[in-house]
Amino acid sequence: MLKLNKKYREKYGFRTKVGYDAIYEGYPNEEMVRALSREKGEVGEHEWIQKFRLKALKYFLQKPMPSWGPDLSGINFENIIYYARPEVNRAKTWEELPKKIREVYERLNIPEVEKKYLLGLSAQFDSEIVLRRIKEELKKLGVIFTDPEDGLKNHPIFRKWFGKIVPPNDNKFAALNSAFFSGGSFIYVPPGVKVPYPLETYFRINISRAGQFERTLIIADEGAEVTYVEGCTAPVYSKSSLHAAVVEIVALPGAKVRYVTLQNWSKNVYNLVTKRSVAFENATIEWLDSNIGSKITMKYPSVYMRGENAKAEIISVAYAGKGQIQDTGAKAVHLAKNTSSKIVAKSVSAEGGEANYRGLISIAKEAARSKAVAKCDALLIDEKSKTNTYPYTNVQNQESSVAHEAFVGKLSQEKLFYLMSRGLDEDQAMSLIVSGFFSDFIRKLPLQYAIEFKRLIELEIKGGVG
Amino acid sequence: MSTLLKIQNLHAKIGKLKILNGINLSIRAGEIHFIMGPNGSGKSTLALTIMGDPRIKVTKGKIYFQNKNITRLEPNERAKLGIFLGFQNPIAIEGLFLASLINTSANVLGKKIADKEIDEALRKINLPKDFLYKDVNYNMSGGEKKKAEALQLLLLKPRLAILDEFDTGLDVDALRTISKAIKSLMNKYRSFLIITHYSRIVDYIKPDKVHIMVGGKIVKEGNVKLAKNIEKYGYAKVLGEKYAEA
């Protein structure tokens, strides 16, 4: 653990001292929510947003902690900072950012990736987006890439879908997010527009005891296509942080949305995220969801196939090292005819880590001739590590098919020996075996992220095992 | 010629089972040695032991490579010294491109492989370029696996190549092609230890020495004639009592 933290600390887990304009902490209450709402200018015609927040707070206070999954009793709501606004003006160029903050992103190589591979990037620092870069090409396509706060105030289509896919009372952490949401992204892609390169948001937690509650809403209009990437890291602290995001995606008829997550939080972060999408006729939604860091992650990206011929593909991968629980999975909900879903879940448990797959396949009565396939593979690196599978299936019509296979394997000594006979040391050999095990995921990623993901795996294995 | 590999009184077991019972073997630079023997005589175990398979326990004896005692070295350290094992049953590694493995190996072994060399090696083994983008030994036929091993051999150019039954699973044409490719590597510095239980390979590669292994020991040594006799008369007849004892 120490060894691992040292490596992570150096590359991703470093701390930066910056000033903050506003910090709200203590057990969540109405006053805090009102103050945040005022900060965000939710007055007059925008007052409804404050009402939305306050209602969400009520849900949060009423709802019990989820009891069906990992133990979350380590979260102390007293000790979380619910809003932390760094002393910085929104920048449009990297140069405009204060040096200290710019250096954080430079150390993480974000400006380089942005320049080379992205049409748009936003960078969140604790509770606020501190930079948004939009290339001319993206503007020309008529794509909206902005803050959710701006979306709520100025884009009726945002308001139409906001909180509709993940309502504030969905679960305790979605409620908390809905009360304190700040930052994140709103993306709208007009009909028929195919965005040729990805858009990305990079989330950085900096402050100790942080609560980060961003919102993301992506709307792909008819026949539109877009790939969105989120990356995240945080400094290593002894006290826990909480990341509770809400992500909503709407793929209108014929649209295609691919959502890529490279989760690499430090191992003091509780990562409890609600990700859900709806796919209309002939639309496709792909979640490429990876979880390497965090203390406990609970995340089950979902697709509700509401239109005929809608498609869902969810590839979820997780690496649970020492002291980590990755409770991840997927939900495919078939609500219309001829819909099809594919779930691939792969997890690695090492050094006593625990990786659980939790999945739901549901096929409604109306969803005749639908098809669902799920494949869950778990790889155990040692005897101390754990894995569990909780697949739930609910099929309401006779004309649909569901196939589910699950497989648990141990790290093969024979594979290690084979690779070591080619000159690789044990860590290198293990990295290649684990990356290979995750290849269903890696081979779907845009190249630069595939390289990054393999590097993260290598870092985990070098630091954590042996 | 200097001695490249020297094995002294090597005993080894897998679990409780004694497999090697006092092997002595010496290979000089540039030599080609065959190890032959009936099934279960310990040939593959010997190959794996030289490479450092952790499942095999050396209970007695020593292995020297270029006068360095390598008996307790990790497999990757042996590889770095210049030892290569072409596996009898190379294991599949799903999700790892053969190209990535070759790149990574070349890197850690401190070798640079030019694109031209890769093209040439593929051509020698009669493989299409996209073969490099198959997963290592995954969804490959027996013959393809042997070709993949041969490809790595050609590109990594070790000092000592141990080839464990590279001839099985190959049809006559493929055997000829691969034998020819292997021969193209032979020079006065590079040595080969070729394990086989058929002698048909003698038609393509001429050994300097032939060792016959039975019951975890080398029971008879000779030259190419010995291999040919075995093909003609079989182990029982050539070895007589020694075979019966084992």
Side-chain angles (χ1 to χ4, degrees):
Chain A
M1 183 72 172
L2 275 177
K3 205 170 142 202
L4 171 67
N5 271 346
K6 205 172 150 199
K7 294 237 177 193
Y8 183 92
R9 182 172 284 144
E10 220 169 89
K11 289 198 84 151
Y12 306 101
F14 53 89
R15 303 169 185 183
T16 305
K17 249 198 143 98
V18 298
Y20 289 87
D21 286 336
I23 287 181
Y24 299 149
E25 56 187 315
Y27 202 87
N29 61 42
E30 272 199 24
E31 207 178 310
M32 281 160 68
V33 171
R34 280 183 209 280
L36 171 64
S37 187
R38 267 198 307 276
E39 288 266 349
K40 301 235 170 227
E42 293 162 2
V43 290
E45 58 169 324
H46 306 309
E47 214 187 320
W48 69 273
I49 307 170
Q50 190 185 108
K51 287 193 177 131
F52 175 91
R53 290 183 186 275
L54 288 169
K55 205 164 150 192
L57 177 71
K58 274 202 186 118
Y59 293 132
F60 167 75
L61 297 171
Q62 283 163 7
K63 279 194 178 283
M65 292 289 268
S67 58
W68 41 267
D71 176 14
L72 300 176
S73 61
I75 301 174
N76 184 348
F77 289 110
E78 276 306 331
N79 277 341
I80 300 284
I81 293 177
Y82 291 87
Y83 180 68
R85 191 177 70 219
E87 264 174 4
V88 49
N89 292 323
R90 169 69 58 88
K92 280 190 173 150
T93 65
W94 292 103
E95 293 72 33
E96 285 172 49
L97 277 179
K99 194 164 167 256
K100 271 189 178 168
I101 292 187
R102 186 176 71 232
E103 278 170 359
V104 170
Y105 292 104
E106 278 170 356
R107 234 172 124 172
L108 299 163
N109 200 33
I110 309 301
E112 190 65 18
V113 170
E114 186 262 323
K115 200 166 89 190
K116 280 192 182 155
Y117 307 108
L118 301 171
L119 276 186
L121 172 95
S122 50
Q124 180 148 347
F125 198 86
D126 289 323
S127 297
E128 290 292 341
I129 298 283
V130 293
L131 168 134
R132 195 179 291 280
R133 304 263 303 141
I134 298 170
K135 286 192 181 143
E136 209 46 49
E137 197 181 342
L138 191 68
K139 285 186 203 156
K140 277 189 194 146
L141 292 171
V143 173
I144 299 170
F145 181 36
T146 184
D147 301 359
E149 290 91 337
D150 175 42
L152 281 178
K153 291 175 187 161
N154 305 316
H155 298 278
I157 193 164
F158 184 92
R159 193 169 162 179
K160 181 179 167 190
W161 287 103
F162 176 80
K164 298 299 191 313
I165 302 161
V166 180
N169 61 351
D170 188 80
N171 64 73
K172 192 171 180 77
F173 292 94
L176 184 63
N177 172 287
S178 301
F180 286 98
F181 71 89
S182 178
S185 286
F186 164 47
I187 294 168
Y188 170 76
V189 187
V193 170
K194 295 178 172 48
V195 184
Y197 298 100
L199 309 180
E200 174 172 339
T201 302
Y202 196 88
F203 295 94
R204 179 71 179 173
I205 284 178
N206 184 62
I207 202 166
S208 173
R209 301 185 288 116
Q212 197 175 50
F213 307 110
E214 86 277 6
R215 291 295 289 210
T216 302
L217 171 56
I218 299 173
I219 301 166
D221 213 324
E222 294 194 20
E225 289 182 15
V226 65
T227 295
Y228 178 78
V229 182
E230 58 175 11
C232 47
T233 55
V236 176
Y237 288 113
S238 54
K239 287 178 179 144
S240 300
S241 300
L242 172 61
H243 176 250
V246 169
V247 177
E248 298 171 293
I249 301 177
V250 184
L252 291 168
K256 194 174 171 189
V257 178
R258 172 180 280 193
Y259 193 106
V260 180
T261 301
L262 296 177
Q263 187 269 98
N264 186 26
W265 293 120
S266 54
K267 288 171 181 55
N268 55 300
V269 176
Y270 284 88
N271 185 46
L272 310 169
V273 172
T274 309
K275 286 182 164 166
R276 198 171 297 158
S277 62
V278 289
F280 288 88
E281 280 162 57
N282 300 308
T284 302
I285 291 189
E286 280 181 36
W287 294 101
L288 300 180
D289 197 69
S290 69
N291 298 289
I292 294 180
S294 83
K295 180 181 177 69
I296 294 177
T297 285
M298 292 173 75
K299 195 195 312 153
Y300 323 96
S302 314
V303 184
Y304 285 70
M305 288 156 274
R306 272 176 44 175
E308 288 185 22
N309 305 311
K311 279 194 178 63
E313 183 163 356
I314 307 169
I315 304 184
S316 166
V317 302
Y319 187 100
K322 189 171 180 177
Q324 288 182 281
I325 301 176
Q326 303 285 11
D327 200 89
T328 58
K331 292 181 195 169
V333 181
H334 298 253
L335 300 169
K337 280 181 206 157
N338 292 318
T339 48
S340 63
S341 66
K342 181 182 168 191
I343 294 171
V344 178
K346 298 239 172 186
S347 72
V348 172
S349 314
E351 295 270 289
E354 179 180 335
N356 301 323
Y357 169 77
R358 216 176 280 277
L360 169 72
I361 293 171
S362 168
I363 300 184
K365 203 172 157 198
E366 305 75 45
R369 295 184 302 284
S370 290
K371 238 169 60 185
V373 186
K375 188 176 151 225
C376 308
D377 292 339
L379 178 63
L380 293 169
I381 298 290
D382 51 47
E383 302 289 329
K384 295 185 284 183
S385 303
K386 280 179 268 182
T387 183
N388 294 296
T389 308
Y390 306 100
Y392 302 95
T393 327
N394 174 17
V395 184
Q396 297 291 343
N397 73 65
Q398 305 272 310
E399 300 158 86
S400 293
S401 73
V402 175
H404 188 278
E405 50 174 281
F407 181 77
V408 179
K410 282 185 183 150
L411 179 72
S412 149
Q413 294 303 313
E414 217 180 322
K415 287 183 189 177
L416 272 183
F417 171 57
Y418 182 81
L419 293 176
M420 288 178 79
S421 82
R422 297 301 188 249
L424 284 69
D425 66 29
E426 197 175 349
D427 286 350
Q428 290 165 330
M430 214 183 300
S431 294
L432 287 192
I433 292 169
V434 169
S435 287
F437 178 74
F438 285 144
S439 63
D440 285 332
F441 174 75
I442 293 173
R443 288 175 185 174
K444 283 235 160 194
L445 290 179
L447 185 64
Q448 71 276 16
Y449 295 105
I451 293 167
E452 171 72 6
F453 181 81
K454 284 191 207 170
R455 216 178 277 146
L456 297 181
I457 292 292
E458 221 170 280
L459 190 77
E460 277 307 292
I461 286 168
K462 274 197 186 136
V465 184
Chain B
M1 280 192 292
S2 62
T3 301
L4 198 60
L5 180 78
K6 190 169 183 175
I7 297 175
Q8 277 178 347
N9 192 28
L10 188 68
H11 293 252
K13 54 185 189 181
I14 299 177
K16 285 188 175 149
L17 206 60
K18 287 183 186 167
I19 314 246
L20 303 182
N21 298 305
I23 299 279
N24 290 292
L25 180 70
S26 189
I27 302 178
R28 288 189 292 185
E31 283 182 345
I32 298 156
H33 288 228
F34 277 18
I35 292 195
M36 301 180 66
N39 284 329
S41 57
K43 304 186 299 292
S44 287
T45 302
L46 176 61
L48 295 166
T49 309
I50 299 171
M51 197 70 241
D53 189 333
R55 291 165 300 186
I56 300 169
K57 195 168 179 237
V58 173
T59 50
K60 207 173 169 186
K62 288 191 170 76
I63 308 169
Y64 294 93
F65 188 74
Q66 291 177 315
N67 295 322
K68 185 182 159 89
N69 182 355
I70 62 162
T71 320
R72 306 285 162 204
L73 286 190
E74 292 287 323
N76 56 314
E77 291 167 325
R78 302 182 198 212
K80 283 179 183 165
L81 293 174
I83 304 176
F84 175 92
L85 172 60
F87 285 74
Q88 183 186 5
N89 297 307
I91 189 158
I93 300 177
E94 195 182 349
L96 175 63
F97 288 140
L98 183 57
S100 311
L101 173 60
I102 291 172
N103 263 329
T104 313
S105 296
N107 250 330
V108 294
L109 297 176
K111 294 182 194 273
K112 286 217 164 70
I113 303 176
D115 289 352
K116 219 174 69 187
E117 274 178 85
I118 296 174
D119 291 343
E120 200 187 315
L122 287 167
R123 194 177 42 74
K124 276 186 185 167
I125 313 176
N126 201 10
L127 286 171
K129 191 149 191 176
D130 59 13
F131 191 78
L132 288 168
Y133 295 94
K134 276 180 168 265
D135 288 357
V136 175
N137 303 318
Y138 183 75
N139 280 342
M140 284 190 189
S141 69
E144 281 179 317
K145 287 183 193 172
K146 292 297 162 76
K147 287 182 176 182
E149 295 289 286
L151 183 67
Q152 293 170 65
L153 168 66
L154 288 188
L155 292 170
L156 298 175
K157 298 193 172 71
R159 285 297 307 275
L160 171 68
I162 306 164
L163 306 178
D164 190 2
E165 298 201 12
F166 83 88
D167 50 340
T168 49
L170 294 176
D171 59 41
V172 182
D173 294 329
L175 179 61
R176 186 181 299 120
T177 309
I178 292 186
S179 300
K180 214 176 134 192
I182 291 172
K183 268 171 94 169
S184 74
L185 271 185
M186 290 178 176
N187 62 30
K188 61 181 175 176
Y189 305 108
R190 187 169 289 126
S191 308
F192 287 80
L193 180 61
I194 294 172
I195 292 168
T196 176
H197 66 210
Y198 302 109
S199 354
R200 60 173 184 165
I201 179 180
V202 180
D203 298 338
Y204 305 99
I205 297 174
K206 292 278 172 291
D208 297 305
K209 276 191 182 149
V210 175
H211 314 266
I212 311 294
M213 230 175 123
V214 178
K217 278 186 192 163
I218 291 172
V219 296
K220 199 173 173 71
E221 291 180 307
N223 55 21
V224 67
K225 256 190 208 154
L226 178 58
K228 284 190 170 163
N229 280 339
I230 281 170
E231 186 172 316
K232 241 189 214 164
Y233 307 112
Y235 288 110
K237 205 152 187 188
V238 174
L239 298 174
E241 272 173 24
K242 280 174 193 156
Y243 183 64
E245 275 168 29

